[in-house]
Amino acid sequence: ALVLSRSSLLITGDCFVGKSKCPPRNDMTRITGWPAFSLTFFLFACQPNIPSTVTIIDGGQIHSVESSERVPLILLTQNGVMPQPNDRVLLNGVPVPIDLPLPATDSIQLQLRRAVTLTVNSPEGQQAIQTSAFTVGQAMNEAGFTFTKNDLLDPPAETHITQSLSVTFTPARDLTIYVGENILNIRSAAGTVGEALAEAGIPLIGFDTSSPLEREALPADGQIRVVRVYESISVALESI
C-alpha cells in the first residue's frame, strides 16, 4: 500500500507541494502517468474469466456446467468429481496438469481417466501398480521398468488398458550359441532352447540336436551347443 505523509507530500491540482520544490510540468506528466497505467493494468488483470460451457466426463457420468474457473482440480471438485492421486485429466483428449490453469481453447471438455490396477509378474516377483496410462508399455515405463525389443511382455506393450489386468514381464538374457566352429551371441526371452534357436535363425532341422535339448528351458550359464546331423544315402552296386 502507498501511504502519503502530510508533512512530506501534498497533492494539489497544479503540482506536488512538500519539503521539496514543485517539479516542472513536463516532469509532472511523467510522474503521474505511471500510477495511472498501473491502476489500469491492475483493473484489466483482475477482470474475471468469461463463463463458458465445460463438459466433464467421469466414466459413464457426464456433467455440463457454466463456469469461469480454469483449474481442472477446482472444476472437478466443485462439481462433485473427486480425482485420486494416480488419475489423470484430459483436455479435449490431450493430457494436461490437474493443478494448473487450462490453456486458451474454444471448447472445454475435461475427461477424468481413472487409474486401474496393473499386476506385473516378473522374475523379481509380483508387483501391483495403480496406473491411468493408455497402454501397457506406457504403464511399465511410468512404473520404472525398462525393456528392449528382445524382452517379452504379455500382453504386448501396445495393448490398450481399459480395465485392470495382469502382465508378464520376462527380460531377455544373454545367450551364446555354438554351431560347429561358429559362435553367435544373442539376447532372448524365449521359454525354451528351441524357441531361442528359432529366433536366432538357426532352428534344428531333421536329426539335429542341441545341448540342452530343444524343449528344455534356457540354461543357467546361457550356453547352447548345436550339433548338425547330416544324413546321406549311398548306393552300392553288387554283382549277382
Side-chain angles (χ1 to χ4, degrees):
L2 179 62
V3 179
L4 303 180
S5 173
R6 178 178 296 180
S7 61
S8 61
L9 184 63
L10 176 65
I11 300 178
T12 69
D14 296 325
C15 66
F16 290 85
V17 180
K19 292 183 179 180
S20 59
K21 295 181 181 181
C22 294
R25 190 168 186 83
N26 58 347
D27 288 341
M28 180 72 70
T29 303
R30 178 167 50 84
I31 293 173
T32 59
W34 171 248
F37 172 77
S38 300
L39 179 61
T40 302
F41 177 80
F42 175 79
L43 293 175
F44 176 80
C46 292
Q47 291 295 320
N49 291 328
I50 299 175
S52 58
T53 302
V54 180
T55 302
I56 300 175
I57 303 175
D58 179 18
Q61 299 182 352
I62 300 178
H63 307 265
S64 184
V65 298
E66 292 289 330
S67 177
S68 58
E69 180 58 57
R70 290 298 179 267
V71 178
L73 180 59
I74 299 177
L75 269 169
L76 293 172
T77 54
Q78 283 181 343
N79 292 279
V81 179
M82 307 303 295
Q84 299 302 312
N86 294 299
D87 298 342
R88 71 183 68 199
V89 174
L90 311 178
L91 170 63
N92 301 331
V94 179
V96 293
I98 195 172
D99 56 348
L100 297 179
L102 298 171
T105 180
D106 294 334
S107 61
I108 300 178
Q109 177 178 287
L110 288 181
Q111 178 184 356
L112 184 63
R113 182 173 173 83
R114 295 288 187 179
V116 297
T117 301
L118 199 71
T119 304
V120 181
N121 300 286
S122 70
E124 286 73 30
Q126 188 177 88
Q127 178 181 353
I129 60 177
Q130 296 295 314
T131 180
S132 57
F134 296 95
T135 64
V136 169
Q138 181 185 5
M140 297 288 286
N141 281 326
E142 292 179 355
F145 289 87
T146 56
F147 52 91
T148 66
K149 64 179 182 179
N150 300 111
D151 298 331
L152 178 63
L153 271 180
D154 183 27
E158 62 272 13
T159 303
H160 288 277
I161 299 176
T162 58
Q163 59 185 357
S164 297
L165 74 156
S166 295
V167 176
T168 300
F169 172 52
T170 307
R173 296 176 48 193
D174 292 319
L175 301 175
T176 302
I177 303 175
Y178 299 88
V179 185
E181 297 181 354
N182 299 320
I183 301 176
L184 180 64
N185 295 309
I186 67 168
R187 286 183 57 81
S188 174
T192 65
V193 170
E195 292 174 356
L197 292 175
E199 288 179 3
I202 46 177
L204 299 180
I205 302 174
F207 293 99
D208 293 348
T209 186
S210 64
S211 176
L213 296 176
E214 182 179 11
R215 296 184 178 180
E216 293 184 6
L218 299 180
D221 61 3
Q223 298 189 15
I224 301 174
R225 298 184 181 276
V226 175
V227 178
R228 295 296 191 189
V229 177
Y230 299 95
E231 182 181 11
S232 61
I233 300 176
S234 61
V235 178
L237 297 178
E238 186 176 306
S239 59
I240 299 176

